[in-house]
Coordinates of all heavy atoms in Angstrom, one line a residue:
A816 N -143.2 -74.5 7.3 CA -142.4 -74.4 8.5 C -142.2 -75.7 9.3 O -141.1 -75.9 9.8 CB -143.1 -73.3 9.2
F817 N -143.3 -76.4 9.3 CA -143.2 -77.7 10.0 C -142.1 -78.5 9.3 O -141.3 -79.3 10.0 CB -144.5 -78.4 10.0 CG -144.5 -79.9 10.5 CD1 -144.4 -80.1 11.9 CD2 -144.5 -80.9 9.6 CE1 -144.3 -81.4 12.3 CE2 -144.3 -82.3 10.1 CZ -144.3 -82.5 11.5
T818 N -142.2 -78.6 8.0 CA -141.2 -79.5 7.3 C -139.8 -79.1 7.6 O -138.9 -80.0 7.8 CB -141.7 -79.6 5.8 OG1 -143.0 -80.0 5.7 CG2 -140.8 -80.6 5.1
D819 N -139.6 -77.8 7.5 CA -138.2 -77.3 7.7 C -137.8 -77.8 9.1 O -136.7 -78.2 9.3 CB -138.3 -75.7 7.7 CG -138.2 -75.2 6.3 OD1 -138.0 -76.0 5.4 OD2 -138.4 -73.9 6.1
E820 N -138.6 -77.6 10.2 CA -138.2 -78.0 11.5 C -138.0 -79.4 11.6 O -137.0 -79.9 12.3 CB -139.3 -77.5 12.5 CG -138.9 -77.6 14.0 CD -137.7 -76.8 14.2 OE1 -137.5 -75.6 13.9 OE2 -136.6 -77.4 14.9
L821 N -138.8 -80.3 10.9 CA -138.6 -81.7 11.0 C -137.4 -82.1 10.4 O -136.6 -82.9 11.0 CB -139.8 -82.3 10.4 CG -139.8 -83.9 10.2 CD1 -139.9 -84.5 11.6 CD2 -140.9 -84.4 9.3
F822 N -137.1 -81.6 9.3 CA -135.8 -82.0 8.5 C -134.6 -81.5 9.3 O -133.6 -82.2 9.2 CB -135.9 -81.4 7.1 CG -136.5 -82.3 6.1 CD1 -137.8 -82.8 6.4 CD2 -136.0 -82.7 5.0 CE1 -138.5 -83.6 5.5 CE2 -136.5 -83.5 4.0 CZ -137.9 -83.9 4.3
A823 N -134.7 -80.4 10.0 CA -133.6 -80.0 10.8 C -133.2 -81.0 11.9 O -132.0 -80.9 12.5 CB -133.8 -78.7 11.4
T824 N -134.1 -81.8 12.4 CA -133.9 -82.7 13.4 C -133.5 -84.1 13.0 O -133.0 -84.9 13.8 CB -135.0 -82.9 14.4 OG1 -136.2 -83.5 13.7 CG2 -135.6 -81.5 14.8
L825 N -133.7 -84.4 11.7 CA -133.5 -85.8 11.3 C -132.0 -86.1 11.3 O -131.1 -85.4 11.3 CB -134.1 -86.1 9.9 CG -135.6 -85.9 9.7 CD1 -135.9 -85.9 8.2 CD2 -136.3 -86.9 10.4
P826 N -131.7 -87.5 11.3 CA -130.3 -87.9 11.1 C -129.8 -87.3 9.8 O -130.4 -87.4 8.8 CB -130.4 -89.5 11.0 CG -131.6 -89.8 11.8 CD -132.5 -88.7 11.6
P827 N -128.6 -86.7 9.8 CA -128.2 -85.9 8.7 C -128.1 -86.6 7.4 O -128.6 -86.1 6.3 CB -126.7 -85.5 9.1 CG -126.7 -85.5 10.7 CD -127.7 -86.6 10.9
G828 N -127.6 -87.8 7.4 CA -127.6 -88.6 6.1 C -128.9 -88.8 5.5 O -129.1 -88.9 4.3
L829 N -130.0 -89.0 6.4 CA -131.4 -89.1 5.9 C -131.9 -87.8 5.4 O -132.6 -87.7 4.4 CB -132.2 -89.9 6.9 CG -133.7 -90.1 6.5 CD1 -133.8 -91.0 5.3 CD2 -134.5 -90.7 7.6
A830 N -131.7 -86.8 6.2 CA -132.4 -85.4 5.9 C -131.8 -84.9 4.6 O -132.7 -84.3 3.9 CB -132.0 -84.5 7.1
S831 N -130.6 -85.2 4.2 CA -130.1 -84.7 3.0 C -130.7 -85.3 1.7 O -130.5 -84.8 0.7 CB -128.5 -84.9 2.9 OG -128.2 -86.3 2.9
R832 N -131.3 -86.4 1.9 CA -131.9 -87.2 0.7 C -133.3 -87.7 1.0 O -133.6 -88.8 0.6 CB -131.0 -88.2 0.3 CG -130.5 -89.2 1.5 CD -129.6 -90.3 1.0 NE -129.4 -91.2 2.1 CZ -129.2 -92.5 2.1 NH1 -129.2 -93.1 0.9 NH2 -128.8 -93.2 3.1
A833 N -134.0 -86.9 1.8 CA -135.4 -87.5 2.3 C -136.5 -86.9 1.5 O -136.5 -85.8 0.9 CB -135.5 -87.1 3.8
R834 N -137.6 -87.7 1.6 CA -138.9 -87.2 1.2 C -139.8 -87.5 2.4 O -139.6 -88.4 3.2 CB -139.4 -88.0 0.0 CG -138.7 -87.8 -1.3 CD -138.9 -86.4 -1.9 NE -138.3 -86.2 -3.2 CZ -137.1 -85.7 -3.3 NH1 -136.4 -85.4 -2.3 NH2 -136.6 -85.5 -4.5
V835 N -140.9 -86.8 2.5 CA -141.8 -86.8 3.6 C -143.2 -87.1 3.0 O -143.7 -86.4 2.0 CB -141.8 -85.7 4.5 CG1 -142.2 -84.4 3.8 CG2 -142.7 -85.9 5.7
Q836 N -144.0 -88.0 3.5 CA -145.4 -88.3 3.2 C -146.3 -88.0 4.4 O -146.0 -88.6 5.5 CB -145.6 -89.8 2.8 CG -147.0 -90.2 2.7 CD -147.8 -89.7 1.5 OE1 -147.1 -89.2 0.5 NE2 -149.0 -89.7 1.5
F837 N -147.2 -87.1 4.2 CA -148.1 -86.7 5.2 C -149.3 -87.8 5.2 O -149.9 -88.0 4.1 CB -148.6 -85.4 5.2 CG -147.7 -84.3 5.5 CD1 -146.7 -83.9 4.6 CD2 -147.6 -83.8 6.9 CE1 -145.7 -82.9 5.1 CE2 -146.7 -82.8 7.2 CZ -145.7 -82.4 6.3
C838 N -149.6 -88.4 6.3 CA -150.5 -89.6 6.3 C -151.8 -89.2 7.0 O -151.9 -88.1 7.5 CB -149.9 -90.8 7.0 SG -148.3 -91.3 6.2
G839 N -152.7 -90.1 7.2 CA -153.8 -89.9 8.2 C -153.2 -89.7 9.5 O -152.1 -90.0 9.8
P840 N -154.0 -89.1 10.4 CA -153.3 -88.5 11.6 C -152.9 -89.5 12.8 O -152.7 -89.0 13.8 CB -154.5 -87.6 12.1 CG -155.8 -88.2 11.7 CD -155.4 -88.8 10.4
A841 N -152.9 -90.8 12.5 CA -152.5 -91.7 13.4 C -151.3 -92.4 13.1 O -151.1 -92.7 11.9 CB -153.7 -92.7 13.7
G842 N -150.5 -92.9 14.1 CA -149.3 -93.6 13.8 C -149.4 -94.8 13.0 O -148.7 -95.3 12.3
T843 N -150.6 -95.6 13.3 CA -150.8 -96.8 12.6 C -151.0 -96.6 11.1 O -150.6 -97.5 10.3 CB -152.0 -97.6 13.3 OG1 -152.1 -98.9 12.7 CG2 -153.4 -96.8 12.9
D844 N -151.5 -95.4 10.7 CA -151.7 -95.2 9.3 C -150.4 -95.0 8.7 O -150.1 -95.3 7.5 CB -152.6 -94.0 9.0 CG -152.9 -93.8 7.5 OD1 -153.6 -94.7 6.9 OD2 -152.5 -92.8 7.0
A845 N -149.5 -94.3 9.4 CA -148.1 -94.0 8.9 C -147.4 -95.3 8.7 O -146.5 -95.5 7.8 CB -147.4 -93.1 9.8
V846 N -147.6 -96.3 9.7 CA -147.0 -97.6 9.5 C -147.4 -98.3 8.3 O -146.7 -98.9 7.5 CB -147.3 -98.5 10.7 CG1 -146.9 -100.0 10.6 CG2 -146.5 -98.1 12.0
E847 N -148.8 -98.2 8.1 CA -149.4 -98.8 6.9 C -148.7 -98.2 5.6 O -148.4 -98.8 4.5 CB -150.9 -98.6 6.8 CG -151.6 -99.2 7.9 CD -151.7 -100.8 7.8 OE1 -151.4 -101.3 6.7 OE2 -152.2 -101.4 8.8
A848 N -148.5 -96.8 5.6 CA -147.9 -96.2 4.5 C -146.5 -96.7 4.3 O -146.1 -96.9 3.2 CB -147.9 -94.6 4.7
A849 N -145.8 -96.8 5.3 CA -144.3 -97.4 5.3 C -144.2 -98.7 4.7 O -143.4 -99.0 3.9 CB -143.7 -97.3 6.6
L850 N -145.1 -99.6 5.1 CA -145.1 -101.0 4.5 C -145.6 -100.9 3.0 O -144.9 -101.6 2.3 CB -146.2 -101.8 5.3 CG -145.9 -101.9 6.8 CD1 -146.9 -103.0 7.5 CD2 -144.5 -102.3 7.2
K851 N -146.5 -100.1 2.7 CA -146.9 -100.0 1.3 C -145.7 -99.4 0.5 O -145.5 -99.8 -0.7 CB -148.1 -99.1 1.2 CG -148.7 -99.1 -0.2 CD -149.8 -98.0 -0.2 CE -151.0 -98.4 0.6 NZ -152.1 -97.3 0.6
L852 N -145.0 -98.4 1.1 CA -143.9 -97.8 0.3 C -142.8 -98.8 0.0 O -142.4 -98.9 -1.2 CB -143.4 -96.8 1.3 CG -142.0 -96.1 0.7 CD1 -142.3 -95.2 -0.5 CD2 -141.3 -95.4 1.9
V853 N -142.3 -99.6 0.9 CA -141.3 -100.5 0.7 C -141.7 -101.7 -0.2 O -140.9 -102.1 -1.0 CB -140.7 -101.1 2.0 CG1 -140.0 -99.9 2.8 CG2 -141.6 -101.9 2.8
R854 N -142.9 -102.1 -0.2 CA -143.4 -103.1 -1.1 C -143.5 -102.7 -2.5 O -143.2 -103.3 -3.5 CB -144.7 -103.6 -0.5 CG -144.6 -104.6 0.6 CD -146.0 -104.9 1.3 NE -145.9 -105.9 2.3 CZ -146.5 -106.0 3.5 NH1 -147.4 -105.1 3.7 NH2 -146.3 -106.9 4.3
T855 N -143.9 -101.3 -2.6 CA -144.0 -100.8 -3.9 C -142.6 -100.6 -4.5 O -142.4 -100.9 -5.7 CB -144.7 -99.3 -3.9 OG1 -146.0 -99.6 -3.4 CG2 -144.8 -98.7 -5.3
A856 N -141.7 -100.0 -3.6 CA -140.3 -99.8 -4.2 C -139.5 -101.0 -4.5 O -138.7 -100.9 -5.4 CB -139.6 -98.9 -3.1
T857 N -139.7 -102.1 -3.8 CA -138.9 -103.3 -3.9 C -139.6 -104.3 -4.9 O -138.9 -105.2 -5.4 CB -138.5 -104.0 -2.6 OG1 -139.8 -104.4 -2.0 CG2 -137.8 -103.0 -1.6
G858 N -140.8 -104.2 -5.0 CA -141.6 -105.2 -5.8 C -141.7 -106.5 -5.0 O -142.1 -107.5 -5.6
R859 N -141.3 -106.5 -3.7 CA -141.5 -107.7 -2.9 C -142.6 -107.5 -1.9 O -143.1 -106.4 -1.7 CB -140.2 -108.0 -2.2 CG -139.0 -108.1 -3.2 CD -137.7 -108.6 -2.5 NE -137.1 -107.6 -1.5 CZ -136.2 -106.8 -1.8 NH1 -135.7 -106.7 -3.0 NH2 -135.7 -106.0 -0.9

Side-chain angles (χ1 to χ4, degrees):
F817 170 81
T818 306
D819 280 348
E820 189 58 49
L821 176 63
F822 274 50
T824 69
L825 293 174
L829 178 60
S831 65
R832 51 181 180 146
R834 293 289 185 271
V835 60
Q836 167 72 19
F837 288 82
C838 305
T843 191
D844 188 63
V846 169
E847 298 289 349
L850 301 183
K851 187 186 298 183
L852 171 73
V853 297
R854 284 169 172 149
T855 301
T857 64
R859 303 189 292 264

